[in-house]
Amino acid sequence: MEEAKRAAAEDNVSLNQLLSAFIADGIGHRRAIMSLKKRAARGTVDAALAILDRAPDVDPDPGDELAEPQGASSFRP
């Protein structure tokens, strides 16, 4: 509660406004997650692979390359 009061004071809003905003934000995130789950349930691995198969085999734009993690092998499928 004290942390919430500090956050409200920092944002120059009432505690009620802060908590209402957090609740609305949480509901929005929940709706987005539920929507993504529904979309994911309709998808298939074969459809995803078919989309990837249509992607052109070109080098990435300069500066858009993947960074090699420390100790990673150079194997790329």
Side-chain angles (χ1 to χ4, degrees):
M1 181 59 86
E2 291 304 315
E3 184 67 28
K5 288 178 182 178
R6 275 193 296 277
E10 289 170 0
D11 289 353
N12 199 28
V13 297
S14 71
L15 181 59
N16 189 43
Q17 287 175 306
L18 179 76
L19 296 177
S20 293
F22 284 162
I23 290 168
D25 191 44
I27 290 171
H29 285 289
R30 184 180 183 280
R31 284 185 182 153
I33 290 169
M34 298 303 289
S35 174
L36 289 172
K37 284 182 179 182
K38 286 179 184 178
R39 290 181 69 188
R42 293 192 315 257
T44 67
V45 172
D46 289 339
L49 291 174
I51 291 168
L52 292 174
D53 284 342
R54 293 193 311 257
D57 186 18
V58 297
D59 290 333
D61 292 337
D64 204 22
E65 302 89 354
L66 291 175
E68 280 292 327
Q70 293 289 336
S73 72
S74 60
F75 173 74
R76 296 251 191 246

